[in-house]
Amino acid sequence: MGKVNITIDGIDMKVPEDYSVLEAAREVGVDIPTLCYLKDINEIGACRMCLVEIKQARGLQASCVYPVSEGLDIITNSESIRKARKATLELILSNHDRSCLTCNRNNSCELQALSDRLNVRELRYEGEKTLYPLDLKSHSIVRDNNKCILCRRCISMCKNIQTVSVIDTTERGFYSNISSPFDLSLNDVPCISCGQCINVCPVNALREKDDTELVWDAINDKSKHVVVQTAPATRVAIGEEFGLPIGTRCTKNMVGALRRIGFDKVFDTDTGADLTIMEEGTELLHRLNNGGKLPMITSCSPGWVTFCEYNFPEFLDNLSTCKSPMQMFGAVLKTYYAKKTNINPADIIVVAVMPCIAKKAESKRPEMSVNGLADVDHVITTRELAKMIKEAGIDFHTISSDHYDDPMGDASGAGVIFGATGGVMEAAIRTVYEIVTKKPLDNLDIISVRGIKGIKEANVQIGDFTLKAAVASGTGNARKLLEMVKSGEKDYHFIEIMACPGGCVNGGGQPIQSSAVRSKYDLREERAKAIYAEDVKLSVRKSHENKLVQKLYKEFLGEPGGHKSHELLHTHYIDREKYPISQ
Amino acid sequence: MSKNCQCGEDKVCQLDNVIKEHKNIAGALIPVLHEAQKIFGYLPMSVQKQISKGLNISLAEIYGVVTFYSEFSTEPKGEYQINVCLGTACYVKGANDILEQFKKQLKIDVGQTTSDNKFSINACRCVGACGLAPVVTINEEVYGKLVADDVKGILEKYQV
Ligand code: SF4
Ligand code: SF4
Ligand code: SF4
Ligand code: FES
């Protein structure tokens, strides 16, 4: 990469030629304020907050989209710049529902932080305000356009990264707003509830549906036995809500806090993941040996499943019939566990803490129940759990507990790595290899499927059979991969797909980091490192060696893929029409 | 709309041909929307869906474009377009009363069309005839210096 010489505020420097002025400035410690900018995702120069003077150009320029070039002379701090930035911000604030005190993003809002930083203490214009109704219809996501600042990050995410494209700017001028076609609710469009738009929204215009009150109610109801299960990716991210560095492992603090909150039992979804591997591995072998539909595609990510139902119905028979680990585990809790503990299943409330908002919608699918009881009653995100912990006055930093509760206790490392893209594939290979070859796998770390690349491929030798595998994360990458499979350009036996880029560690229910932090750190990478560190630490690292899973098959389920499994642990999918006219 | 135009299938075919003609041209969306509006008179969801499929552009993006330009409409448009100017001059001279009177007489709201597809009411920005305020245009015809009581008579001219 070539370099160019530029001057920023009188400081001469050499920077890579593909830098923007904003990036160059950050390198010399000048933190130009931004609002719409989000590295690699939304670089459109819409908000004009990042204005600078450039000697070679007239007027003030948006630094986030201004490329550096040889000899560029830049001023980032002058009276006119300061005034222009402040005026821009005041204009945004004048048409904003400024209810910070009761706002879900109080203290994690980029607009709020910017107002403080630019020292806005009064508004000179109190303009007319547009008033929008809240979109509360979806099980997962709430849209509040009264808080929207039209930065368009959500659109870039939904359209360019996820290729779902259910939101865009509509109308114009004063009435310009972000909405779905025909102003339909996000519930009535082919939104997959991945929540990626929430994670990039700088304000509270998008958020998960808050289910914390339902969980408190359940805990306070003494007639109920309330159990909680936690997904793998939650433990490596929740610390961020308490100021810990990105990628801090907090399993013990989280388990301790959950117990203190008042859950009767604290279980690990990873056990459900181990169960999923047994079922899915068996299904894969069955398909391979009996001429079943290939490639088989994983079904743990409800965002991906919904994406497939709307966009690739021709692949529905390729989807594994396995329910997701969360749902499998819920079903086992309301049957096996209920029987073991002699508790009426109707009195068991299963709460799931997930890095995901699509899980909220998944738990409400009518198929996700056994004997009329939902497998999982309430789903809360990592963010919502952090709120409950704060509300309860628990000191997250000092509380600790060594282990999950018996009898559903400790899971394997294979279950943990479900949290990162490639993890399900790696876990499946660890088990399928040993089932087929009846020999222990020498090296459990299957590096070729790790890492944040959007599409990964691996050929895995299992005895004399070469398993052709592929992994995609982010539905945009899934679309690319499936188009290649469809056209015959690629051919695989087994594909893992996660709806969120990087997998669950970067799920739509995970702690939100600001644009500035996201410019510095790759959240996917930092959190995934913690996931693999957790795996290595565990004594059992293969699903089929999980003692509880073995017991479960012996005492209750019988064979993987057997009759009982099919009743409790498997599901089916629906070919969904986008925008049915009958609406 | 005349009787022999009621066949939906025909229009769908026509639109399909338009889409085919434009398919591989950059910036095809706006011309296709124009043609579609000509064929159907307005752009309901079914029409936008057909364009979305045909041009492989998301419905969200299409809807965004349709609502951005005032010449496109998602509601059926009447044979006679009543535009009531709500610019400052007209507003001050009582344009709102005129608007209310049109709404009352035709029993529809702004942006809607009568069930016989005869009239639509639109509120529009300044048409540059402030000397005649308050002003209403019906298709090419301009009516100035109106009072609410004129409305009934004006409508009768079109009801034959
Ligand atoms: S979105 Fe931000 S600025 Fe707006 S009310 Fe919430 S915290 Fe305050
Ligand atoms: S949740 Fe995902 S699919 Fe739905 S609007 Fe947001 S980004 Fe798009
Ligand atoms: S909803 Fe959020 S991300 Fe989308 S445009 Fe509005 S403020 Fe930006
Ligand atoms: S224009 Fe640069 S941050 Fe918005």
Side-chain angles (χ1 to χ4, degrees):
Chain A
M1 173 73 56
K3 293 212 165 188
V4 293
N5 296 293
I6 60 168
T7 309
I8 294 185
D9 297 333
I11 307 165
D12 294 325
M13 62 185 298
K14 239 187 187 16
V15 295
E17 63 188 2
D18 66 341
Y19 266 29
S20 63
V21 169
L22 175 73
E23 286 171 299
R26 282 189 171 158
E27 211 134 285
V28 284
V30 179
D31 190 9
I32 299 175
T34 61
L35 209 45
C36 66
Y37 173 78
L38 190 62
K39 188 172 179 267
D40 300 331
I41 294 170
N42 199 47
E43 303 178 351
I44 59 170
C47 74
R48 303 204 38 94
M49 192 55 60
C50 61
L51 295 174
V52 294
E53 281 169 28
I54 291 175
K55 290 269 164 69
Q56 287 87 343
R58 288 194 21 227
L60 298 178
Q61 301 292 331
S63 61
C64 68
V65 287
Y66 204 98
V68 295
S69 59
E70 185 60 32
L72 215 58
D73 192 351
I74 302 142
I75 304 285
T76 70
N77 178 18
S78 72
E79 183 63 9
S80 64
I81 292 172
R82 220 170 50 78
K83 280 201 168 136
R85 286 179 187 160
K86 215 164 169 166
T88 307
L89 184 57
E90 284 177 31
L91 210 60
I92 294 172
L93 292 174
S94 73
N95 188 15
H96 184 80
D97 168 7
R98 300 184 299 276
S99 49
C100 295
L101 274 183
T102 49
C103 183
N104 185 51
R105 291 292 293 272
N106 191 0
N107 276 326
S108 69
C109 170
E110 290 183 43
L111 182 64
Q112 192 188 46
L114 198 60
S115 307
D116 183 47
R117 202 186 129 183
L118 296 195
N119 205 11
V120 175
R121 299 297 163 224
E122 60 179 339
L123 290 184
R124 282 171 293 168
Y125 342 91
E126 186 58 78
E128 198 187 332
K129 279 196 183 139
T130 31
L131 266 183
Y132 297 98
L134 298 190
D135 177 4
L136 297 167
K137 201 171 169 193
S138 151
H139 288 301
S140 321
I141 189 166
V142 174
R143 167 161 214 112
D144 177 359
N145 270 355
N146 302 300
K147 299 268 165 100
C148 174
I149 57 167
L150 297 175
C151 71
R152 300 172 199 212
R153 290 186 193 172
C154 55
I155 300 177
S156 297
M157 179 48 83
C158 189
K159 189 163 157 175
N160 305 335
I161 309 285
Q162 296 295 65
T163 68
V164 176
S165 301
V166 290
I167 43 178
D168 219 313
T169 37
T170 58
E171 305 289 340
R172 62 173 157 173
F174 184 64
Y175 300 100
S176 183
N177 71 97
I178 314 289
S179 64
S180 293
F182 294 84
D183 295 322
L184 289 169
S185 159
L186 281 171
N187 188 60
D188 300 330
V189 301
C191 164
I192 62 169
S193 293
C194 66
Q196 287 299 309
C197 53
I198 297 178
N199 288 20
V200 297
C201 181
V203 291
N204 193 34
L206 291 162
R207 60 179 178 268
E208 71 268 55
K209 185 170 159 286
D210 187 330
D211 290 318
T212 55
E213 280 307 321
L214 295 176
V215 176
W216 285 122
D217 287 350
I219 291 172
N220 292 332
D221 184 344
K222 292 295 160 243
S223 68
K224 300 290 181 203
H225 181 76
V226 187
V227 301
V228 64
Q229 51 161 314
T230 64
T234 54
R235 65 203 69 188
V236 299
I238 190 165
E240 294 167 37
E241 294 283 350
F242 299 92
L244 293 169
I246 299 163
T248 308
R249 285 159 49 200
C250 297
T251 315
K252 290 180 180 174
N253 310 61
M254 187 179 69
V255 173
L258 285 166
R259 224 169 257 141
R260 184 68 63 82
I261 280 178
F263 288 103
D264 293 310
K265 294 283 176 185
V266 182
F267 297 137
D268 196 349
T269 310
D270 298 9
T271 297
D274 282 333
L275 203 53
T276 301
I277 288 301
M278 298 307 291
E279 292 296 321
E280 207 165 64
T282 308
E283 184 183 353
L284 177 65
L285 290 175
H286 186 84
R287 288 189 190 221
L288 285 167
N289 295 333
N290 299 284
K293 188 98 170 170
L294 293 170
M296 186 175 92
I297 312 178
T298 58
S299 56
C300 335
S301 162
W304 147 243
V305 167
T306 312
F307 183 82
C308 188
E309 290 179 318
Y310 276 120
N311 299 283
F312 289 95
E314 63 273 37
F315 281 101
L316 288 182
D317 290 338
N318 296 73
L319 281 184
S320 159
T321 58
C322 288
K323 285 183 182 173
S324 69
M326 174 186 89
Q327 297 295 154
M328 281 197 183
F329 198 46
V332 167
L333 288 172
K334 292 208 177 167
T335 51
Y336 172 78
Y337 172 75
K339 208 152 129 195
K340 270 289 272 201
T341 52
N342 217 357
I343 302 174
N344 180 355
D347 288 333
I348 298 179
I349 300 283
V350 176
V351 175
V353 183
M354 294 284 134
C356 178
I357 68 155
K359 291 268 162 204
K360 288 179 185 269
E362 179 188 33
S363 70
K364 298 286 183 292
R365 287 175 73 123
E367 314 87 87
M368 296 298 171
S369 58
V370 175
N371 306 327
L373 292 177
D375 298 339
V376 174
D377 298 280
H378 307 301
V379 175
I380 56 172
T381 60
T382 313
R383 294 189 291 261
E384 288 170 271
L385 173 59
K387 289 197 173 117
M388 291 182 70
I389 294 172
K390 289 177 189 168
E391 234 186 306
I394 298 164
D395 179 0
F396 188 75
H397 302 280
T398 53
I399 195 149
S400 175
S401 171
D402 266 348
H403 54 83
Y404 284 92
D405 282 317
D406 289 331
M408 311 303 286
D410 294 325
S412 81
V416 175
I417 59 175
F418 262 60
T421 164
V424 180
M425 180 63 71
E426 183 167 345
I429 291 169
R430 288 181 191 173
T431 287
V432 168
Y433 181 93
E434 298 200 353
I435 290 180
V436 173
T437 65
K438 307 208 165 48
K439 278 190 286 199
L441 185 58
D442 294 335
N443 184 4
L444 294 185
D445 299 331
I446 301 157
I447 303 295
S448 53
V449 295
R450 294 188 184 180
I452 56 165
K453 239 177 98 204
I455 297 177
K456 296 168 280 191
E457 291 179 294
N459 285 330
V460 186
Q461 207 54 44
I462 297 179
D464 48 16
F465 175 72
T466 309
L467 181 82
K468 287 182 286 181
V471 173
S473 73
T475 44
N477 291 316
R479 182 187 293 277
K480 242 187 257 164
L481 185 67
L482 291 189
E483 291 295 350
M484 290 192 289
V485 171
K486 223 162 113 175
S487 71
E489 185 186 336
K490 294 280 181 182
D491 154 48
Y492 306 104
H493 300 112
F494 189 26
I495 299 178
E496 177 205 294
I497 296 180
M498 294 291 156
C500 293
C504 310
V505 287
N506 189 34
Q510 293 283 64
I512 295 176
Q513 294 289 355
S514 70
S515 164
V517 170
R518 290 175 66 130
S519 294
K520 258 196 238 150
Y521 303 97
D522 194 315
L523 304 180
R524 302 167 294 180
E525 214 158 336
E526 300 303 320
R527 292 173 184 160
K529 267 188 227 155
I531 286 268
Y532 291 112
E534 189 95 357
D535 164 37
V536 169
K537 181 205 75 171
L538 290 170
S539 53
V540 177
R541 294 182 62 199
K542 302 168 211 160
S543 299
H544 57 284
E545 290 176 358
N546 176 333
K547 288 274 173 323
L548 173 83
V549 167
Q550 292 172 347
K551 208 162 111 194
L552 203 57
Y553 280 110
K554 210 161 107 217
E555 291 181 5
F556 183 63
L557 290 169
E559 289 270 289
H563 178 71
K564 193 116 197 138
S565 291
H566 268 277
E567 198 184 302
L568 297 180
L569 310 179
H570 289 254
T571 186
H572 60 271
Y573 309 104
I574 299 160
D575 184 345
R576 293 182 201 272
E577 190 195 347
K578 292 185 188 178
Y579 306 103
I581 293 287
S582 57
Q583 283 176 353
Chain B
M1 244 180 263
S2 60
K3 263 247 161 66
N4 51 10
C5 271
Q6 295 299 315
C7 166
E9 292 303 316
D10 258 7
K11 295 179 181 174
V12 172
C13 278
Q14 269 181 55
L15 178 57
D16 243 358
N17 289 333
V18 172
I19 292 171
K20 269 189 207 120
E21 279 164 34
H22 288 80
K23 202 165 174 114
N24 297 315
I25 306 169
L29 179 57
I30 302 232
V32 169
L33 287 173
H34 270 293
E35 291 300 317
Q37 171 120 343
K38 261 192 229 157
I39 297 169
F40 290 86
Y42 69 116
L43 302 169
M45 188 194 262
S46 60
V47 171
Q48 292 188 38
K49 265 177 80 171
Q50 194 186 344
I51 298 172
S52 166
K53 261 204 191 111
L55 295 180
N56 200 14
I57 298 175
S58 75
L59 191 65
E61 189 173 336
I62 293 178
Y63 183 75
V65 171
V66 166
T67 55
F68 185 86
Y69 294 103
S70 53
E71 61 259 49
F72 297 131
S73 167
T74 55
E75 299 276 340
K77 280 203 163 178
E79 189 182 345
Y80 297 110
Q81 293 294 315
I82 303 170
N83 293 306
V84 182
C85 176
L86 289 183
T88 317
C90 290
Y91 194 83
V92 172
K93 295 222 161 141
N96 214 27
D97 296 341
I98 313 277
L99 181 62
E100 287 307 315
Q101 194 57 34
F102 274 113
K103 278 159 63 175
K104 203 174 135 198
Q105 293 287 331
L106 297 173
K107 296 185 185 70
I108 53 170
D109 216 335
V110 173
Q112 292 181 337
T113 300
T114 52
S115 54
D116 60 357
N117 280 333
K118 204 141 189 173
F119 297 103
S120 303
I121 307 181
N122 314 302
C124 69
R125 279 163 232 187
C126 182
V127 293
C130 307
L132 293 175
V135 176
V136 167
T137 64
I138 299 183
N139 290 359
E140 256 65 276
E141 211 74 39
V142 181
Y143 300 86
K145 303 208 170 176
L146 293 177
V147 290
D149 282 347
D150 298 336
V151 168
K152 204 165 172 210
I154 293 172
L155 285 175
E156 271 163 11
K157 279 177 53 184
Y158 295 91
Q159 250 139 7
V160 272

